[in-house]
Amino acid sequence: MSIQRFGKWDFRAVDSESAARALTRLRKQGAPAEPERAAAVVLLREAPLRVFLLRHAAKEPFGLPTIGRTDQVTTHVRERWAHLDADVHRDGYDSAAGGPRGAQYGFPGGRHKPDDPDVAMTGLRAVEEETGAMVALQRAWARWVTAEFEPVRFDSWIYVATLAEGFQPRIRVREPEYATWIGPEQAVCQYGGQMSIPEATTLAELARYSTVGEVFAAAEQRDMSPILPRVAVHGQHAKLVLPGEEGYPRDALASA
């Protein structure tokens, strides 16, 4: 069963007006944009289990959403893929999300490049470019496809990985602006409003485990079928639904 809520965050609640605008735009467009391959890597360490979290401006493959979400506990923040209107002070600090205005939290990653032999290597390259570290072990965890209403789409593989001995990640590039090791539960509870649905969901799933070994064992059993969110609209209510869930639309415009 896929995670829909974690702590105060509702990952699926969508503002009905912005959902209608997104579906109208897709209808006018005629066909969804073709998704590009991409990868993101969740670096792990223990004990206890920690993930390497970056703060940066919205970036590929989970950046720049065009649909609005509404949180069920009246907290308003700005997210990628399904963002909320931000409640931001004049000093640029978003009190609801717990961070600077426009900041996003996530993992090293980016789009597939022609020189990458495969998408797994895309993830390895992104880790080295963004953190200067080398990966020792890497396993696929999930595969998310950007919703069809987005103008720029990615077929994104999320990996879990450990670092090669002697390497410690650090910020090598202008973006990201901040990085830290943090427990997955703390990360999603504290920063879930500034993450994409794939990243927040991944952290909520990892919060179930205590060790890197448990995560890697679970990765071996994961279903890597593409996860393509779609909008289900029922009267004045809208939400994002995933494949296999009740109410999943037969096509992107089925509930428009």
Side-chain angles (χ1 to χ4, degrees):
M1 180 71 66
S2 179
I3 297 172
Q4 298 193 29
R5 294 186 66 95
F6 195 92
K8 64 183 178 181
W9 306 120
D10 186 334
F11 298 159
R12 309 287 194 79
V14 176
D15 174 71
S16 59
E17 291 185 4
S18 62
R21 289 193 297 269
L23 295 174
T24 297
R25 182 177 57 253
L26 176 59
R27 187 184 298 108
K28 291 179 179 179
Q29 183 178 324
E34 190 68 22
E36 299 182 53
R37 289 187 293 171
V41 181
V42 188
L43 297 175
L44 305 172
R45 78 175 188 188
E46 57 183 28
L49 184 66
R50 294 288 183 263
V51 300
F52 189 68
L53 194 67
L54 304 174
R55 186 180 73 203
H56 44 58
K59 66 185 286 290
E60 299 164 352
F62 302 124
L64 306 176
T66 59
I67 190 170
R69 270 180 49 190
T70 179
D71 192 277
Q72 297 298 316
V73 292
T74 68
T75 300
H76 298 284
V77 296
R78 185 172 180 83
E79 285 199 346
R80 291 172 289 170
W81 272 29
H83 66 274
L84 308 172
D85 293 330
D87 230 357
V88 181
H89 294 298
R90 291 182 180 180
D91 61 2
Y93 190 84
D94 185 338
S95 58
R101 181 179 184 178
Q104 305 289 347
Y105 289 83
F107 318 122
R111 71 173 69 197
H112 179 79
K113 293 184 178 180
D115 292 341
D116 297 336
D118 52 36
V119 73
M121 186 58 67
T122 299
L124 298 179
R125 174 183 53 76
V127 170
E128 183 176 4
E129 289 179 351
E130 294 187 37
T131 73
M134 302 291 289
V135 167
L137 294 174
Q138 177 173 277
R139 296 289 186 272
W141 183 261
R143 182 183 177 190
W144 289 77
V145 179
T146 312
E148 290 144 307
F149 52 74
E150 296 286 5
V152 179
R153 304 179 63 225
F154 293 95
D155 180 350
S156 305
W157 290 70
I158 297 180
Y159 294 90
V160 291
T162 57
L163 293 172
E165 186 175 355
F167 282 94
Q168 289 296 329
R170 55 186 174 83
I171 297 176
R172 289 189 64 186
V173 292
R174 186 173 182 180
E175 290 282 350
E177 59 188 28
Y178 170 78
T180 187
W181 288 100
I182 187 173
E185 181 175 1
Q186 180 184 354
V188 72
C189 285
Q190 190 167 347
Y191 304 119
Q194 292 172 280
M195 295 178 184
S196 69
I197 292 173
E199 290 165 316
T201 300
T202 296
L203 287 171
E205 292 170 340
L206 292 177
R208 300 167 175 168
Y209 306 101
S210 301
T211 68
V212 172
E214 290 177 358
V215 172
F216 273 73
E220 298 293 340
Q221 306 300 318
R222 298 277 297 182
D223 180 2
M224 295 306 296
S225 300
I227 302 171
L228 173 62
R230 281 180 172 158
V231 177
V233 180
H234 302 284
Q236 298 299 312
H237 302 283
K239 66 176 182 177
L240 291 174
V241 186
L242 304 186
E245 294 179 345
E246 183 179 357
Y248 186 74
R250 66 181 182 276
D251 62 66
L253 295 174
S255 62

